[in-house]
């Protein structure tokens, strides 16, 4: 695991040649993926999807998402073979309709009915609001888990597809417990919770008939987390003290400086959040092993923070239309920072016997928590 920070921007390199691969900071390994995406074709897909989604009042988004995934998956190479995405827009569309009609519509109609009937009863309204929040947290967790299963089962490599066992209900309940504990401990329990959630995902992940080994250590996360937590808290405290001081010393400028201060607080918290996420991803990736291959990582906190903030700004100022740059930057970063080390034989992989879901990511689409 490398803690070396780099100031070079390796996210824009379109291809990794042999010379670059040898100089890669990924320790003694070959890249996990090779990125063959091109900006021109991706922009064509994104702009077409945008136009057709507007014309069809949002209905085309399911087919548009499928088209984009087919391109991205088909231009990512792993050990000489490209991935294939076999999902369909029809599956995503009917999955969304099922969830909306059977789960979400009755739930929100019931909440609205309670609000109207007990409009003057504050206790009932507070109770219903609390229950609504808990249910939404549960549904978002379950949605994420079901969406991950769908994507795995529609991802093929050398004819072998992935899968995910386990229970979305169980995962949703873990999510509820985690967010309750995070609120109770002012966030200090988060490294433990993140290991719980990621371990449940990985321990129920299948590639063909094999499962990856995943052995993260909570103790490895607390050093970076506490650094980010305390520095973030100090930054917030310092900015608030500065704003309050300005209110007394220069009250005329306080109204002008306050919005700038609030933006500064948000950017500071986001920056430290992404810095920690980079450290956490580095540990999670390095804790993974599959068929005598170690997954190696040179992800750094600073590098991941720059990548994430840069991608956020690209999407913000382009209103999402420059997303091809974001996809390409992300894939290039993974290519240059995540590798495989080992000599396992992938030819022993057999097809999974676990059944596939017949519908798409319904809940994830409804809550907009699915990837791409």
């Amino acid at each position: 695991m490398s803690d070396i920070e780099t100031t070079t921007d390796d996210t824009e390199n379109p291809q990794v040649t042999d010379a670059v691969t040898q100089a890669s900071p990924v320790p003694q390994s070959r890249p996990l993926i090779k990125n063959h995406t091109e900006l021109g074709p991706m922009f064509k897909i994104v702009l077409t999807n945008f136009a057709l989604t507007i014309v069809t009042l949002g209905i085309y988004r399911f087919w548009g998402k499928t088209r984009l995934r087919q391109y991205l998956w088909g231009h990512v190479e792993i050990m000489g073979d490209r991935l294939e995405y076999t999902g369909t827009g029809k599956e995503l569309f009917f999955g969304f309709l099922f969830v909306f009609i059977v789960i979400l519509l009755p739930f929100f109609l019931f909440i609205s009915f309670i609000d109207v009937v007990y409009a003057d009863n504050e206790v009932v309204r507070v109770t219903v609001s609390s229950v609504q929040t808990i249910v939404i947290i549960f549904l978002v967790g379950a949605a994420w888990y079901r969406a991950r299963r769908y994507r795995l089962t529609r991802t093929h490599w050398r004819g072998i597809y992935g899968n995910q066992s386990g229970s979305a209900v169980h995962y949703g309940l873990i999510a509820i417990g985690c967010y309750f504990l995070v609120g109770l401990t002012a966030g200090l329990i988060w490294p433990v919770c993140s290991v719980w959630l990621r371990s449940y995902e990985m321990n129920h992940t299948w590639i063909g008939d094999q499962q990856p080994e995943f052995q993260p250590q909570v103790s490895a996360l607390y050093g970076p987390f506490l650094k980010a937590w305390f520095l973030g808290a100090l930054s917030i405290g310092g900015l608030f003290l500065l704003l309050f001081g300005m209110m007394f010393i220069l009250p005329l400028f306080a109204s002008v400086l306050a919005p700038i201060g609030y933006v500064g607080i948000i950017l500071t918290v986001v920056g430290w959040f992404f810095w920690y996420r980079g450290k956490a991803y580095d540990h999670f990736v390095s804790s993974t092993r599959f068929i005598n291959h170690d997954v190696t990582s040179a992800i750094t906190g600073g590098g991941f923070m720059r990548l994430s903030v840069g991608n956020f700004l690209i999407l913000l100022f382009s209103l999402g239309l420059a997303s091809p740059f974001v996809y390409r930057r992300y894939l290039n970063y993974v290519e240059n920072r995540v590798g495989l080390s080992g000599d396992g034989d992938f030819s022993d992989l057999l097809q999974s016997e676990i059944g596939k879901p017949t519908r798409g990511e319904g809940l994830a689409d409804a809550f907009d928590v699915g990837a791409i």
Side-chain angles (χ1 to χ4, degrees), residues 133-204:
T133 301
I134 293 172
V135 170
I136 289 176
I137 292 173
F138 166 77
L139 289 177
V140 169
W144 174 260
Y145 198 77
R146 287 175 59 86
R148 187 174 184 271
R149 183 188 179 206
Y150 176 80
R151 291 193 300 273
L152 281 170
T153 59
R154 267 57 177 184
T155 299
H156 288 234
W157 177 70
R158 296 183 179 178
I160 300 294
Y161 63 82
N163 214 321
Q164 181 174 267
S165 53
S167 166
V169 172
H170 190 171
Y171 189 84
L173 293 175
I174 294 175
I176 291 175
C178 283
Y179 282 105
F180 173 77
L181 291 174
V182 165
L184 202 62
T185 62
L188 291 173
I189 197 68
W190 179 245
V192 177
C193 290
S194 65
V195 168
W196 286 348
L197 291 167
R198 190 57 59 92
S199 294
Y200 191 83
E201 293 174 7
M202 294 298 294
N203 291 336
H204 292 88

Side-chain angles (χ1 to χ4, degrees), residues 56-366:
T56 61
L57 303 179
I59 294 177
Y60 185 77
R61 69 185 293 266
F62 305 101
W63 284 265
K65 180 183 289 188
T66 297
R67 185 181 176 193
L68 180 59
R69 287 179 179 178
Q70 287 172 342
Y71 180 85
L72 290 174
W73 268 240
H75 288 77
V76 170
E77 175 189 325
I78 297 179
M79 297 185 67
D81 291 277
R82 297 196 184 191
L83 299 176
E84 179 186 4
Y85 180 76
T86 61
T88 67
K90 181 180 177 181
E91 289 174 338
L92 294 178
F93 178 62
F94 281 106
F96 172 80
L97 282 182
F98 175 83
V99 166
F100 180 77
I101 294 172
V102 175
I103 299 176
L104 297 183
L105 186 59
F107 173 69
F108 287 112
L109 284 176
F110 174 74
I111 294 297
S112 299
F113 173 77
I114 295 297
D115 282 341
V116 171
V117 173
Y118 294 96
D120 298 327
N121 192 322
E122 190 64 24
V123 175
V124 172
R125 288 171 59 85
V126 170
T127 302
V128 170
S129 177
S130 300
V131 171
Q132 180 180 353
T133 301
I134 293 172
V135 170
I136 289 176
I137 292 173
F138 166 77
L139 289 177
V140 169
W144 174 260
Y145 198 77
R146 287 175 59 86
R148 187 174 184 271
R149 183 188 179 206
Y150 176 80
R151 291 193 300 273
L152 281 170
T153 59
R154 267 57 177 184
T155 299
H156 288 234
W157 177 70
R158 296 183 179 178
I160 300 294
Y161 63 82
N163 214 321
Q164 181 174 267
S165 53
S167 166
V169 172
H170 190 171
Y171 189 84
L173 293 175
I174 294 175
I176 291 175
C178 283
Y179 282 105
F180 173 77
L181 291 174
V182 165
L184 202 62
T185 62
L188 291 173
I189 197 68
W190 179 245
V192 177
C193 290
S194 65
V195 168
W196 286 348
L197 291 167
R198 190 57 59 92
S199 294
Y200 191 83
E201 293 174 7
M202 294 298 294
N203 291 336
H204 292 88
T205 296
W206 295 81
I207 302 174
D209 64 338
Q210 300 291 322
Q211 287 186 283
E213 300 174 37
F214 186 64
Q215 297 179 330
Q217 301 294 323
V218 173
S219 57
L221 297 178
Y222 258 106
F225 177 80
L226 290 177
K227 178 180 179 180
W229 193 95
F230 280 113
L231 289 176
L234 287 175
S235 300
I236 292 173
L239 286 169
F240 269 117
L241 287 175
L242 178 62
L243 288 175
F244 280 119
M246 293 297 296
M247 290 178 63
F248 290 104
I249 300 173
L250 298 172
L252 293 177
F253 294 97
S255 59
V256 177
L257 295 176
I260 300 175
Y262 294 141
V263 171
I265 290 172
I266 293 172
L267 291 178
T268 300
V269 172
V270 168
W272 283 114
F273 168 77
F274 282 126
W275 180 87
Y276 167 70
R277 286 198 71 174
K279 292 290 188 179
Y281 282 144
D282 178 67
H283 178 64
F284 287 147
V285 169
S286 301
S287 301
T288 306
R289 182 174 173 81
F290 184 68
I291 307 184
N292 292 326
H293 281 81
D294 292 311
V295 185
T296 58
S297 171
I299 298 172
T300 61
F304 187 79
M305 179 181 67
R306 290 190 292 273
L307 173 73
S308 301
V309 172
N311 287 345
F312 171 77
L313 293 176
I314 289 172
L315 292 175
L316 177 66
F317 289 109
S318 70
L319 301 179
L321 293 179
S323 56
F325 285 110
V326 171
Y327 302 142
R328 188 171 173 79
R329 280 167 55 86
Y330 177 75
L331 289 172
N332 282 340
Y333 189 82
V334 174
E335 179 176 352
N336 285 308
R337 295 289 173 174
V338 180
L340 277 179
S341 177
D343 57 359
D345 187 2
F346 289 105
S347 63
D348 291 337
L349 271 177
L350 298 176
Q351 199 65 274
S352 172
E353 296 183 358
I354 304 174
K356 295 182 179 182
T358 57
R359 287 186 294 268
E361 302 166 347
L363 272 173
D365 280 313

